[in-house]
Every structure is written in C-alpha cells, then in structure tokens.
Amino acid sequence: MNTPASREGNLFRYIVYFIGYLMAAGTVKLVTINSPIRIWNLILFALISLMVLLFFIYRFNREQRFFDRSLSGSWLGNFGMIIGLTLVVTALRIVVSWLQAYGKVKLYGFQTMYLRHESVAMYWFLVVALGIVLPILQEFLITGFLFNYAFRRNTMLTAILGIATSGILFSALNWQTTVPLLVINAIFGALFAWSYLYTQTLWMPIYLAVVNGIILMVMM
C-alpha cells in the first residue's frame, strides 16, 4: 500500500486525488454561476485550489523516490523543443479560434457562459482559474499520477496507451458537448503527455497546459 507498485494503494490514492480536483473545479463553477462575482466565493476557490495544489506537489515529489530518473533530463536543457512545442500549441490554438470565428467549430462552454455574464472581473477570474490553476492540477492528475500508477513499463505499447489515455482524460475533464472539441482537447492532452515521456519531468506538460490555457483565454 505504500508504493506506486500497489494496485489497491494506487486506486485509493488516485480516487483521493480525483476528489481533490473535483473540489477545485467545483469552486470554479460556484464562482462563475454567480454574477457579479462574490468575494467569499473567490476566497473559497483560492483556499481549496491552493490546498489541493500543495497536496499534489507533496505527494508527487514524495513518490518520485520509487523511480529511476537516471535517464531523465531537465526540460530547460532542451530549449529548442520548448520553443517548438510552444509554437505548435500556439498554432493549434490559433487554428481552432479561426475555425470558431467562421462557425466551423462551436464555442467552448465557458466561452458561451462568459458572453452571458461578460465582465472584467469574470474575465480575469477565468484567466487564472481555467488558464492556470485547473491546467496545472489536471496535469498532475492525468499525466503525473496516471503514468506513475498505470503506465510504468518502459515499452512503446505502454507509452502509446498512456498517451492515448491521458488525452482522453484531458478531454473528459474539459468536457464539451461537440465531438470536434472533444477530439481537439484529446489531441492537446496527448501532446502534453508525450512531452512528459520525452523529458521525464512534469514541468514540461504543466508549462504547455498553462500556455494552452492562457492563449485560449486571451482569444476568448
């Protein structure tokens, strides 16, 4: 029960982490359904998000002692790949926004919600919550912990299954009601997971997820 090799322990821990994420996501929903934004809801969001984030960081760092990182490299050590993936994420996000502008792809649910309750306070809250906080928590949940628990073997098949599963979970956590947006989100999630396997550090997918989230908010 004490190591990531324990299936029962992994399942229990992952359920706890998932509940923690749902708590943070729930506070985002609580803030956005009330217009104008209420200060006490913001405080609740900040407290729960910070608590869950610190818990995730502590648990993830603690579990890394069970893994051999002799082949891992610093994500800052491959500056060319960072620039390249940043440009890929930016380009993909621009293409999606262009398709939305011409009616080829529907708006995201939060974009429709924002248009109904448009305000400066709501915009900046969405930038922080959906652009930064939730993407970070998601990458801990569906990339870091997921690969630690379910996809530990060093084989090509395991890597492909892990990347695909992470992409599907990313799409599920950012649920949309149209198939094109679900597929788009799955592609982004799979790209983030691949960057984790390539660099063997969670900072890379977290960075890319935040870049994606902020660009999405800016283009809202």
Side-chain angles (χ1 to χ4, degrees), residues 4 10 14 17 56-57 59-61 63-64 67 69 135-152 162 166 169 189 192-197 200-206:
N10 291 344
Y14 202 79
Y17 302 150
F56 279 11
I57 293 173
R59 288 300 309 171
F60 186 80
N61 289 336
E63 291 173 4
Q64 295 314 291
F67 301 96
R69 296 299 179 185
I136 293 175
L137 297 180
Q138 288 171 0
E139 289 309 308
F140 271 103
L141 185 65
I142 64 175
T143 302
F145 293 125
L146 179 70
F147 277 91
N148 280 0
Y149 296 164
F151 301 100
R152 300 180 63 187
S166 184
L169 289 176
F192 303 156
W194 175 85
S195 73
Y196 174 62
L197 292 184
Q200 290 294 291
T201 173
L202 195 60
W203 288 113
M204 178 59 83
I206 285 177

Side-chain angles (χ1 to χ4, degrees), residues 31-64:
V31 173
T32 55
I33 61 176
N34 293 291
S35 184
I37 292 178
R38 299 172 183 175
I39 185 63
W40 292 112
N41 290 340
L42 286 177
I43 294 174
L44 181 63
F45 162 76
L47 290 176
I48 291 181
S49 297
L50 181 60
M51 177 186 68
V52 174
L53 178 59
L54 292 177
F55 178 61
F56 279 11
I57 293 173
Y58 168 76
R59 288 300 309 171
F60 186 80
N61 289 336
R62 181 177 175 82
E63 291 173 4
Q64 295 314 291

Side-chain angles (χ1 to χ4, degrees), residues 88-110:
V88 168
V89 170
T90 303
L92 289 175
R93 187 47 65 196
I94 290 174
V95 169
V96 173
S97 295
W98 181 85
L99 292 173
Q100 289 177 321
Y102 283 90
K104 305 295 184 180
V105 176
K106 291 187 177 181
L107 296 177
Y108 285 95
F110 70 86

Side-chain angles (χ1 to χ4, degrees), residues 100-168:
Q100 289 177 321
Y102 283 90
K104 305 295 184 180
V105 176
K106 291 187 177 181
L107 296 177
Y108 285 95
F110 70 86
Q111 290 175 317
T112 303
M113 179 276 300
Y114 173 73
L115 292 175
R116 291 199 302 265
H117 306 286
E118 186 174 352
S119 69
V120 173
M122 181 65 73
Y123 173 78
W124 286 110
F125 172 75
L126 291 176
V127 169
V128 173
L130 301 186
I132 301 175
V133 176
L134 290 191
I136 293 175
L137 297 180
Q138 288 171 0
E139 289 309 308
F140 271 103
L141 185 65
I142 64 175
T143 302
F145 293 125
L146 179 70
F147 277 91
N148 280 0
Y149 296 164
F151 301 100
R152 300 180 63 187
R153 294 183 180 178
N154 189 24
T155 66
M156 181 64 70
L157 178 60
T158 299
I160 293 173
L161 290 176
I163 290 172
T165 303
S166 184
I168 292 171

